[in-house]
Amino acid sequence: KAGVTQTPRYLIKTRGQQVTLSCSPISGHRSVSWYQQTPGQGLQFLFEYFSETQRNKGNFPGRFSGRQFSNSRSEMNVSTLELGDSALYLCASSAGGTMNTEAFFGQGTRLTVV
Amino acid sequence: GESVGLHLPTLSVQEGDNSIINCAYSNSASDYFIWYKQESGKGPQFIIDIRSNMDKRQGQRVTVLLNKTVKHLSLQIAATQPGDSAVYFCAELAGGYQKVTFGTGTKLQVIP
């Protein structure tokens, strides 16, 4: 069974540009969550999607957005990139539903903003 | 200004010894807790979980203890091996995975 796949693995963007990251969850998983990991702030929750709907959102500015498709694949978009957006962006998938269930993480996309 | 990097506490353990990693959580309403292991260049990997109606759960070589009175969680690794070297962090959830808070992490170094 394939794990969570994130693409691309590495990305370098210029300040002011926008970026789209992709996450393919484990087959059958309907929940996809996104996280930002930095040395300064640790691992922080961005948002979670379930069945194409955003169920919850962390404390990030509106420049960070996402969506989920009918096949559960998810994309995350960051507009007007800032230097501080440089981070490892992780997504995790789980079966979802209303109960807490184990989530599986991808290897992440390392974004560097210059 | 320049941001200060997160200083991860480091635990150095001799190979074969037991390791204990601690985590203080913040939300008394948290009802589900998970320990993750993150190796360099990889995403976090689920190790073990525990629900708030339990105070102990055992896995293979790992045990999680939950003390709700003092909001403390610990991970015990028996017979620590070099492959256990990684950053370990806890996660607390209240009302579903969409409301998850992660601890800052502890770096475990296993000395061969």
Side-chain angles (χ1 to χ4, degrees), chain B residues 4-71:
Chain B
V4 176
L6 188 67
H7 174 68
L8 288 179
T10 300
L11 175 66
S12 296
V13 175
Q14 204 73 36
E15 181 179 357
D17 286 352
N18 297 334
S19 303
I20 299 177
I21 300 170
N22 298 303
C23 177
Y25 65 92
S26 56
N27 186 356
S28 55
S30 293
D31 56 4
Y32 182 51
F33 305 87
I34 306 173
W35 276 102
Y36 286 98
K37 170 186 179 183
Q38 188 172 21
E39 297 174 277
S40 181
K42 296 185 178 180
Q45 178 187 358
F46 174 97
I47 301 174
I48 191 167
D49 60 356
I50 188 167
R51 300 195 184 277
S52 58
N53 60 352
M54 304 171 68
D55 53 22
K56 180 179 180 178
R57 188 157 189 236
Q58 288 184 291
Q60 188 177 19
R61 280 201 310 118
V62 294
T63 300
V64 55
L65 298 177
L66 174 63
N67 185 331
K68 294 182 288 292
T69 303
V70 295
K71 292 190 285 189

